[in-house]
Amino acid sequence: MESNKENRGIQETDFSKYSPEELVDAFVFPADRNMTAKQKIDESDFWAARREKFANRTVVQRIHSNLLQLKFQLEDYIASDQYKEKLTFGYFLYEYVSRQEKKDKEFANEVDVTPAVLSQYINGHRKPKDEFIIRLELHSNGMIPAISWYKVIQKDKEHEIATNLNLRREESKHVKNHLKFAY
Amino acid sequence: MYVVNSETGEKHLVRITQIDTVELARINRTKRFDFNWNKEKHFEVFKLVVGEDVNPVGLLSLGERPDDFALEIRLIASSKDNIGKQNGYARIAGCLISFACMKAFKAGYGGFVCLKPKTALEQHYISTCGFESTNLYLVTEGTNSLRLIKEYYGKQ
């Protein structure tokens, strides 16, 4: 492979010194964007085929893809420092159920809870127990581990503790002689 | 996600973050990377840094094609001191490719990532990353993209 010299004064590496393996481990080279008429047609055909394939995914492929999307979005969220009011345990549980294209009743049966309890989890009216998040892990065949579900619950809890003014007011009745040091 | 020090074999955790045009121009001026990265300012550009270091050792430019449900890798470069088996860190391009795969899952594209390879390197991308060859592009999606994510995001 020939070495290049950028016309803007960037001295490029002599790529010919390296093996293909070394180059693949270090680069994806810029593509030549000046295409022939034939290449333009090929490119247009390529993208048309891509759109068609995407539109014609099987149900299983679509569900798998949607669940992986959810898994990575959930992992992103628990790794971030941000709290988003919408992204509760209930939200992710709702997404987990709906992306499988299942009715709540059907899913509730699969994880051995009543539809009413599932609804309470989804709407944030009941805190999930460890047993339930373990069931979710088992149900997803490990795709979304229990620990990930736990971290979402923990994030909800952290926000609740950090922002609960009523509880602070209530508990202040039980605190005497508090420290007055600056910090 | 980690890179490997080619000399010692030590693994080092890395972070990948998006950079803006100001930082892109600044990095370009350092001349630590091949190619004119200012040309990528209309695309999403990411830097890969080792540990708490602020200087990137890898750059990635991604073109998003929402209408085609795809991400295109336009350009990847390791910094000039990290090219070759004897130098610096290995796995830089692999980390950036698997990052693109992860992003393609998050976007709902089923992990679909493509790139236009240099002809001489096509077979090597296929054998090392599992890309499939089409007439113009190399493509990874679905199971292979997931495999790349597991390989590069796996525990250190």
Side-chain angles (χ1 to χ4, degrees):
Chain A
M1 201 163 295
E2 289 177 8
S3 68
N4 294 312
K5 281 182 184 173
E6 257 292 339
N7 55 13
R8 298 194 183 199
I10 296 173
Q11 179 69 45
E12 291 203 343
T13 299
D14 178 3
F15 299 121
S16 66
K17 287 196 313 192
Y18 298 100
S19 69
E21 291 79 8
E22 288 175 312
L23 292 176
V24 164
D25 194 48
F27 295 104
V28 168
F29 286 86
D32 183 0
R33 303 280 161 187
N34 298 318
M35 291 187 284
T36 63
K38 162 98 173 57
Q39 284 171 327
K40 282 181 184 167
I41 292 168
D42 287 347
E43 173 140 336
S44 175
D45 289 348
F46 171 82
W47 290 117
R50 163 63 188 154
R51 289 191 293 274
E52 191 181 345
K53 192 177 172 193
F54 188 86
N56 294 322
R57 288 178 302 169
T58 65
V59 173
V60 172
Q61 286 172 328
R62 186 177 65 229
I63 290 175
H64 189 202
S65 174
N66 288 343
L67 287 172
L68 285 169
Q69 181 186 33
L70 179 68
K71 168 192 168 65
F72 293 131
Q73 287 174 343
L74 189 154
E75 287 176 355
D76 246 12
Y77 178 58
I78 58 180
S80 79
D81 295 332
Q82 281 190 318
Y83 172 80
K84 290 185 181 166
E85 203 167 335
K86 181 186 164 193
L87 303 183
T88 60
F89 172 82
Y91 167 83
F92 284 111
L93 179 57
Y94 170 80
E95 288 293 322
Y96 180 67
V97 178
S98 63
R99 285 169 189 237
Q100 295 171 67
E101 302 178 14
K102 284 177 181 162
K103 302 270 186 225
D104 287 359
K105 191 177 171 188
E106 182 186 4
F107 180 75
N109 182 49
E110 289 175 358
V111 290
D112 199 19
V113 295
T114 64
V117 167
L118 179 66
S119 171
Q120 287 173 332
Y121 286 148
I122 287 174
N123 294 307
H125 298 144
R126 179 190 284 247
K127 301 278 181 229
K129 292 180 180 172
D130 294 352
E131 290 85 342
F132 184 67
I133 60 174
I134 296 280
R135 286 182 206 179
L136 290 178
E137 174 185 297
L138 295 171
H139 186 273
S140 72
N141 197 23
M143 182 192 287
I144 304 178
I147 200 74
S148 294
W149 290 111
Y150 171 74
K151 285 178 180 174
V152 176
I153 297 165
Q154 193 181 27
K155 211 150 171 155
D156 291 347
K157 187 72 186 166
E158 281 174 13
H159 178 73
E160 188 187 316
I161 289 173
T163 59
N164 194 332
L165 295 178
N166 286 338
L167 193 58
R168 280 177 173 73
R169 261 194 300 274
E170 197 60 34
E171 296 309 309
S172 67
K173 297 173 194 163
H174 303 287
V175 179
K176 299 180 197 73
N177 195 26
H178 66 84
L179 302 178
K180 295 184 175 58
F181 299 122
Y183 67 94
Chain B
M1 185 182 273
Y2 64 90
V3 289
V4 177
N5 184 310
S6 303
E7 204 179 328
T8 64
E10 247 180 299
K11 296 172 179 175
H12 296 268
L13 289 175
V14 295
R15 289 177 295 125
I16 299 174
T17 51
Q18 191 168 358
I19 57 178
D20 59 21
T21 50
V22 175
E23 187 171 6
L24 185 63
R26 189 187 61 73
I27 291 169
N28 208 43
R29 279 197 299 274
T30 66
K31 300 182 180 179
R32 291 180 57 241
F33 290 87
D34 291 295
F35 317 118
N36 183 356
W37 281 83
N38 283 336
K39 287 181 180 172
E40 302 303 310
K41 65 184 176 189
H42 299 301
F43 299 91
E44 283 188 313
V45 179
F46 300 86
K47 67 177 179 182
L48 182 149
V49 297
V50 178
E52 296 305 312
D53 200 347
V54 290
N55 292 318
V57 295
L59 294 176
L60 160 72
S61 172
L62 277 182
E64 183 154 12
R65 302 184 64 110
D67 294 344
D68 301 315
F69 313 101
L71 289 183
E72 180 182 353
I73 295 177
R74 293 175 47 81
L75 187 57
I76 285 178
S78 299
S79 59
K80 291 174 182 172
D81 50 348
N82 283 289
I83 305 168
K85 283 186 178 137
Q86 308 304 319
N87 299 317
Y89 298 111
R91 286 171 47 108
I92 291 173
C95 285
L96 291 166
I97 290 170
S98 71
F99 172 81
C101 292
M102 170 88 85
K103 210 166 150 44
F105 275 115
K106 284 183 208 164
Y109 304 156
F112 188 99
V113 173
C114 62
L115 60 91
K116 277 184 179 170
K118 288 267 182 209
T119 311
L121 300 179
E122 184 170 342
Q123 282 308 315
H124 296 278
Y125 287 112
I126 292 170
S127 59
T128 57
C129 298
F131 278 92
E132 281 183 30
S133 180
T134 70
N135 198 7
L136 280 177
Y137 285 94
L138 288 181
V139 167
T140 176
E141 63 178 318
T143 311
N144 189 64
S145 292
L146 202 54
R147 183 188 66 75
L148 286 172
I149 290 169
K150 282 181 182 166
E151 183 177 337
Y152 285 91
Y153 279 81
K155 288 197 175 91
Q156 193 175 0

